[in-house]
Amino acid sequence: MATTSKQYKVIGEELWKGRAEKTNAELFALTYGALVVQLIQDYEDYEEVNKQLEKMGYNIGTRLIEDFLARSNIGRCVDFRETGEVVAKVGFKSFLNITPSVTHGGLPIAASPTRSSTASPAPTIPGATFTLTLDENPLAEFVELPEEALEGGLWFSNILCGVLRGALEMVRILTALCLSKFTYHSSDSNAGHGYVYLRCVARGRNDRDQSHPCQVSRGRSSRRR
Amino acid sequence: MTIYSLYIYDRHCTCVYYQDWHRTKLPKPAAEGGILPAVSHQVYPQPQQDTISTSDPISTYSSPRNTLSSSSGVVVAVNEEQRTTTPQPPQAQSGLSFDEEAKLVYGVVLSLRNMIKKLSGKDEQFVNYKTSTYKLHLYETLSGYKFVMLSDPNADSLRFVLRQIYSGPFLEYVVRNPLVKMDSKERGIDNEYFRTSTDRMIRGLSVFQ
């Protein structure tokens, strides 16, 4: 069962090539931008916009996973590490034609993951988190956020968070959203360059539906330009 | 060889879709509240019988679409809601109401699957079983949907067909259909397109005669 990340890469590329309907990336970016602007106008509150984006993403994710499973023919992941690889190499590749880099990390035991943004302290559960770094973000192709939106705390690509949460939840990896200021600071050094960090943290199991192992994970994303 | 029926169950163990072909005994409609709406209008609890149908109790149970599965007729158009004016030949009915039947099928599948997992201890999959009169095929997706098909005992494994239904009509007309609420626990996934294209796919199979 040791499907290496290289194999996943191949699967992802084949899926992307085999996909019949593709949307123009520019059209996609512009449509998404228009959507976010509309949300901002409607809600006039960045917090609320973030929430709505996440909710939209969740609804997309719950359906997208079926598409993913039907096409990719991938079996159940052994651990959360593998989940991270599949999400990045197959998921993102086949739907958005990008491959975020994955960084696996541990989760500090009995600490709220929200705060543990600095280098991990003492004991950790290995392989309980992964961070996806999107070097190029198709959602933010032509986007330049005004200072006001940045200060207001708009997470432009928050929809990705929701998609991931929804999709993982459907395969019984429960996900909850965790938003921290962490990635804001770290992306400061890359000002002028669009970065998105998605952080997923495995937290527990969901045995609600049936007897399948699954983890709770937390995703987070923010972007800055 | 032939195919009898198809059941689809969602993650919450409820039947969300039902379709049958060459079934000799039609299921009795479910009891009120026994199944979700939009599973199959053929087995959905009938409203109080009106004057026309009381005279002929059989016509209550035969849905318009049942005319398609009568082996003698020629199918002209499937999309049409055909109102049968000619009384259908009386069809035998199973003594079980549909909601009970759906639960039984699910129960069998689930217990067998769990038993198999316990016996092997690995992530082994239950594919089908066979009796003297029928064969049950199962395809389960990672997201928890279960596709169950009953066929002739001599049929080969129909798992690939179930997978085709999943990646074909199911994806196209259920997952991508914003009007179908998935995972709602309130409604089934029945819709005209899905039913028609599944029907066409099954009828095109070599096992289907």
Side-chain angles (χ1 to χ4, degrees):
Chain A
M1 281 303 286
T3 319
T4 59
S5 60
K6 233 181 201 166
Q7 279 169 290
Y8 285 136
K9 222 172 192 165
V10 174
I11 296 174
E13 259 159 38
E14 270 169 16
L15 277 178
W16 169 254
K17 275 180 204 149
R19 191 166 285 275
E21 326 105 24
K22 285 177 189 159
T23 311
N24 186 312
E26 287 162 14
L27 176 69
F28 178 64
L30 292 175
T31 319
Y32 183 74
L35 173 86
V36 177
V37 169
Q38 188 62 51
L39 279 178
I40 293 171
Q41 280 173 0
D42 287 353
Y43 287 97
E44 295 176 342
D45 176 25
Y46 294 120
E47 279 292 303
E48 193 58 34
V49 172
N50 292 341
K51 232 184 267 171
Q52 290 300 324
L53 282 175
E54 206 271 348
K55 207 167 133 195
M56 279 180 186
Y58 177 82
N59 289 331
I60 294 173
T62 54
R63 286 174 187 252
L64 207 63
I65 187 71
E66 303 290 348
D67 188 292
F68 177 78
L69 291 175
R71 283 173 205 271
S72 67
N73 211 358
I74 281 181
R76 184 166 290 280
C77 296
V78 181
D79 54 12
F80 201 61
R81 226 188 148 77
E82 196 182 347
T83 309
E85 293 290 328
V86 172
V87 166
K89 305 252 158 51
V90 189
F92 272 92
K93 179 72 190 175
S94 66
F95 288 113
L96 290 177
N97 195 21
I98 52 170
T99 314
S101 54
V102 199
T103 328
H104 298 281
L107 178 69
I109 292 162
S112 82
T114 325
R115 300 286 158 74
S116 60
S117 43
T118 46
S120 43
T124 57
I125 310 166
T129 72
F130 63 80
T131 308
L132 303 173
T133 311
L134 282 68
D135 305 323
E136 40 173 347
N137 183 2
L139 291 177
E141 196 77 0
F142 310 106
V143 178
E144 211 162 302
L145 289 184
E147 273 307 309
E148 189 204 341
L150 278 178
E151 277 156 22
L154 172 71
W155 286 312
F156 187 78
S157 303
N158 206 25
I159 201 162
L160 291 178
C161 244
V163 172
L164 216 56
R165 183 171 74 93
L168 291 181
E169 189 173 315
M170 288 301 117
V171 285
R172 305 201 192 90
I173 301 174
L174 254 200
T175 58
L177 199 69
C178 156
L179 303 169
S180 76
K181 287 260 179 276
F182 165 48
T183 46
Y184 265 127
H185 298 308
S186 74
S187 60
D188 259 346
S189 51
N190 302 308
H193 206 85
Y195 271 105
V196 172
Y197 295 86
L198 286 155
R199 182 150 177 267
C200 284
V201 184
R203 296 220 47 228
R205 287 162 190 278
N206 164 28
D207 293 333
R208 192 190 46 177
D209 285 323
Q210 271 158 29
S211 54
H212 271 293
C214 54
Q215 303 94 344
V216 182
S217 85
R218 295 168 162 252
R220 77 137 333 303
S221 103
S222 81
R223 77 159 294 288
R224 159 139 195 172
R225 182 142 196 146
Chain B
M1 287 206 285
T2 185
I3 287 167
Y4 299 128
S5 51
L6 167 75
Y7 303 80
I8 300 178
Y9 295 89
D10 72 355
R11 312 191 300 137
H12 310 290
C13 322
T14 38
C15 184
V16 288
Y17 185 78
Y18 170 76
Q19 192 167 9
D20 63 23
W21 290 275
H22 289 156
R23 239 184 112 141
T24 42
K25 283 185 174 179
L26 291 179
K28 263 210 307 225
E32 200 67 52
I35 57 166
L36 304 177
V39 169
S40 163
H41 73 144
Q42 180 190 339
V43 293
Y44 193 65
Q46 303 287 333
Q48 281 306 306
Q49 299 180 343
D50 50 22
T51 44
I52 308 162
S53 52
T54 37
S55 57
D56 178 18
I58 290 139
S59 69
T60 333
Y61 306 122
S62 50
S63 98
R65 231 173 255 111
N66 267 349
T67 50
L68 298 178
S69 48
S70 67
S71 45
S72 56
V74 179
V75 181
V76 182
V78 188
N79 251 337
E80 276 279 283
E81 285 276 330
Q82 300 165 347
R83 292 272 158 233
T84 42
T85 44
T86 50
Q88 290 214 314
Q91 273 169 308
Q93 236 178 41
S94 73
L96 220 53
S97 67
F98 179 76
D99 51 337
E100 293 296 320
E101 179 186 299
K103 271 182 218 157
L104 277 179
V105 172
Y106 190 82
V108 163
V109 165
L110 197 75
S111 341
L112 270 178
R113 202 192 61 160
N114 289 348
M115 198 174 85
I116 285 159
K117 272 194 184 146
K118 275 200 186 113
L119 280 177
S120 75
K122 276 183 243 145
D123 203 12
E124 198 166 307
Q125 292 207 314
F126 158 45
V127 177
N128 56 44
Y129 76 79
K130 176 165 132 176
T131 74
S132 54
T133 48
Y134 72 94
K135 191 170 183 178
L136 181 144
H137 309 262
L138 170 76
Y139 174 70
E140 189 182 352
T141 72
L142 275 187
S143 49
Y145 279 93
K146 288 181 190 65
F147 293 71
V148 178
M149 185 172 266
L150 301 187
S151 78
D152 192 89
N154 299 320
D156 292 335
S157 176
L158 292 176
R159 213 176 137 78
F160 77 97
V161 178
L162 294 175
R163 199 185 145 75
Q164 264 174 22
I165 292 175
Y166 175 55
S167 58
F170 186 80
L171 201 65
E172 194 64 29
Y173 301 119
V174 177
V175 175
R176 292 191 182 165
N177 185 346
L179 295 178
V180 173
K181 273 192 180 171
M182 293 177 71
D183 217 25
S184 66
K185 300 187 197 172
E186 283 156 17
R187 289 186 68 76
I189 54 167
D190 188 20
N191 66 68
E192 198 67 41
Y193 277 123
F194 182 58
R195 191 164 283 272
T196 323
S197 62
T198 311
D199 191 70
R200 199 176 300 137
M201 179 186 268
I202 299 297
R203 277 165 200 281
L205 293 173
S206 56
V207 276
F208 188 92
Q209 274 160 24

